[in-house]
């Protein structure tokens, strides 16, 4: 028993890393349920503000393969009100996400979780429940900022990142409507 406890305590990760991994699991689950491929971005893209790449197959008459680059954040802070989430985004990430004409469309996904890690996940034989929810927003074309550290980004609470939202985004990319 002592050996088991020692190995468990040495395997615990930093809370910020744990939030990052949980937010990836959330996005991965949504992508899989919607029928898209999920990939954690390679290091050079991560340095450019891309954490996750979501891809799909194009329409049967299309030579395009829809791709979406995603910056993922996770927080347990109380940022939610009835209509928006006010998330303090680092200026570097804001500048990367606000590009007017990126080669691949980019969005920000903020996953909100309960304060207690014990409440992040509930599991039974009938379900696996990740708590709470992820929200998405495109910052494309927003103006530059004079802020030095963070920019408070407003994400509408209606922008829940779920399989229907992802399918709509990917269809818009595939049709050339969203660039």
């Amino acid at each position: 028993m002592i050996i088991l406890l020692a190995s468990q305590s040495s395997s615990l990760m930093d809370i910020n890393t744990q939030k990052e991994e949980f937010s990836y699991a959330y996005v991965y689950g949504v992508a899989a349920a919607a029928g898209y491929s999920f990939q954690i971005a390679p290091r050079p893209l991560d340095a450019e503000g891309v954490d996750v790449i979501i891809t799909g197959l194009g329409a049967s008459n299309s030579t395009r393969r829809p791709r979406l680059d995603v910056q993922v954040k996770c927080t347990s802070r109380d940022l939610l009100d009835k209509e928006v989430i006010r998330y303090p985004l680092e200026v570097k990430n804001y500048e990367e996400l606000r590009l007017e004409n990126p080669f691949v469309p980019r969005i920000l996904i903020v996953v909100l979780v309960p304060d207690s890690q014990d409440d992040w996940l509930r599991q039974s034989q009938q379900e696996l429940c990740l708590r709470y929810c992820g929200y998405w927003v495109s910052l494309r074309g927003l103006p530059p900022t004079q802020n030095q550290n963070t920019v408070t980004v407003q994400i509408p609470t209606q922008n829940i990142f779920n399989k229907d939202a992802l399918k709509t985004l990917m269809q818009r990319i595939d049709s050339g409507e969203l660039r």
Side-chain angles (χ1 to χ4, degrees), residues 111-128:
V111 177
L112 303 183
V113 294
D115 285 331
S116 171
Q117 295 141 308
D118 292 336
D119 294 332
W120 290 5
L121 180 135
R122 291 196 181 152
Q123 183 178 359
S124 71
Q125 291 181 337
Q126 290 76 37
E127 69 180 356
L128 174 63

Side-chain angles (χ1 to χ4, degrees), residues 42-61:
R43 200 75 192 130
L45 286 178
D46 183 41
E48 296 278 326
V50 177
D51 296 322
V52 170
I53 301 165
I54 299 173
T55 56
L57 300 175
S60 59
N61 59 351

Side-chain angles (χ1 to χ4, degrees), residues 28-178:
Y28 193 172
V30 170
Y36 296 104
S37 173
F38 169 97
Q39 175 186 1
I40 294 177
R43 200 75 192 130
L45 286 178
D46 183 41
E48 296 278 326
V50 177
D51 296 322
V52 170
I53 301 165
I54 299 173
T55 56
L57 300 175
S60 59
N61 59 351
S62 173
T63 58
R64 301 168 59 95
R65 181 182 311 170
R67 174 178 159 175
L68 181 63
D69 288 349
V70 181
Q71 169 89 193
V72 184
K73 300 295 183 186
C74 184
T75 185
S76 60
R77 293 176 45 196
D78 185 17
L79 306 172
L80 179 68
D81 70 23
K82 288 185 179 190
E83 295 183 19
V84 296
I85 296 160
R86 289 177 175 75
Y87 185 78
L89 185 65
E90 290 182 23
V91 168
K92 174 192 179 297
N93 298 135
Y94 176 81
E95 291 298 330
E96 293 162 342
L97 289 164
R98 72 171 200 82
L99 295 174
E100 180 62 42
N101 219 0
F103 184 70
V104 175
R106 294 180 176 188
I107 62 169
L108 169 67
I109 298 174
V110 176
V111 177
L112 303 183
V113 294
D115 285 331
S116 171
Q117 295 141 308
D118 292 336
D119 294 332
W120 290 5
L121 180 135
R122 291 196 181 152
Q123 183 178 359
S124 71
Q125 291 181 337
Q126 290 76 37
E127 69 180 356
L128 174 63
C129 176
L130 304 178
R131 300 183 59 219
Y132 292 127
C133 192
Y135 301 87
W136 72 273
V137 68
S138 171
L139 304 180
R140 180 179 172 178
L142 289 181
T145 183
Q146 299 301 315
N147 295 12
Q148 298 298 310
N149 298 318
T150 63
V151 176
T152 300
V153 175
Q154 294 191 16
I155 307 169
T157 55
Q158 67 192 24
N159 284 14
I160 295 174
F161 186 73
N162 58 28
K163 66 181 185 178
D164 292 334
L166 179 55
K167 285 179 179 182
T168 298
L169 286 166
M170 296 299 273
Q171 288 166 355
R172 290 179 62 203
I173 292 167
D174 191 35
S175 71
E177 179 185 340
L178 183 62

